């Protein structure tokens, strides 16, 4: 009986060792699930900072960054559905857009992007601390709302520039 048990254990071990390469080949690394997209609102952060003024306008830069662990993606054009809030209260000010709406840029970990908020100097300005917006991809809208934090002043006639490469 002892010989049969040893033989059975040896046979089982050979089968497992022989089967291991077949199991590894059946689930190659290339077939593993892709990481979530950096373009999804929950997968990036956005910060508003003051930028240099131009003739007749104040400018603010909204910089988007994505941490490691997310897949890069493409963005294009200006964010849409832009809304501004101050301490949680939404203002009535909406924003238009300007610039090239078709050029695609890559966004992801190590590849931040930014866009411009241009506010006319001569309009009645309102202080806000948050902007919400919907990002655009070359093929259309990215579902969900992104949020950027930072102090700025907005007014009627505020426009949003297209997403550009860099911080």
């Amino acid at each position: 009986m002892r010989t049969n048990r040893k033989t059975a254990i040896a046979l089982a071990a050979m089968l497992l060792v022989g089967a291991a390469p077949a199991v590894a080949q059946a689930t190659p690394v290339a077939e593993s699930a892709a990481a979530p997209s950096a373009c999804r609102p929950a997968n990036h952060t956005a910060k508003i900072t003051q930028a240099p003024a131009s003739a007749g306008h104040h400018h603010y830069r909204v910089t988007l960054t994505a941490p490691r662990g997310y897949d890069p993606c493409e963005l294009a054009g200006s964010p849409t559905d832009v809304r501004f809030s101050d301490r949680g209260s939404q203002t009535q000010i909406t924003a238009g857009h300007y610039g090239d709406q078709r050029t695609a840029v890559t966004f992801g970990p190590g590849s931040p992007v930014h866009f411009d908020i241009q506010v006319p100097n001569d309009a009645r300005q309102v202080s806000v601390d948050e902007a919400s917006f919907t990002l655009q991809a070359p093929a259309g809208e990215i579902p969900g709302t992104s949020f950027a934090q930072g102090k700025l002043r907005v007014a009627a006639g505020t426009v949003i520039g297209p997403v550009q490469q860099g911080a």
Side-chain angles (χ1 to χ4, degrees):
M1 186 173 268
R2 198 174 263 237
T3 306
N4 288 341
R5 185 178 285 165
K6 285 183 182 179
T7 304
I9 292 172
L11 283 172
M14 285 193 304
L15 286 173
L16 287 175
V17 171
V23 170
Q25 289 175 355
T27 55
V29 175
E31 288 182 17
S32 65
S37 171
C39 287
R40 302 290 293 190
N43 303 340
H44 61 260
T45 59
K47 183 178 180 183
I48 303 168
T49 56
Q50 192 164 4
S54 64
H57 296 94
H58 284 84
H59 291 268
Y60 300 91
R61 178 176 277 204
V62 179
T63 303
L64 282 71
T65 56
R68 284 190 276 178
Y70 295 101
D71 274 349
C73 53
E74 285 193 320
L75 296 172
S78 300
T80 59
D81 300 324
V82 179
R83 302 280 185 251
F84 301 101
S85 300
D86 185 41
R87 291 175 278 176
S89 296
Q90 194 173 65
T91 69
Q92 297 299 312
I93 296 171
T94 59
H97 67 271
Y98 73 89
D100 179 7
Q101 300 298 304
R102 287 176 270 175
T103 300
V105 297
T106 300
F107 170 58
S111 297
V113 296
H114 71 274
F115 61 87
D116 179 54
I117 299 175
Q118 179 179 293
V119 183
N121 285 342
D122 61 357
R124 182 181 158 130
Q125 297 180 356
V126 176
S127 293
V128 297
D129 60 9
E130 181 179 76
S132 62
F133 50 91
T134 302
L135 294 171
Q136 302 295 307
E141 190 174 277
I142 295 172
T145 302
S146 295
F147 294 89
Q149 310 297 315
K151 294 187 180 287
L152 69 153
R153 295 179 65 78
V154 294
T158 296
V159 291
I160 309 299
V163 174
Q164 299 177 30
Q165 203 67 50

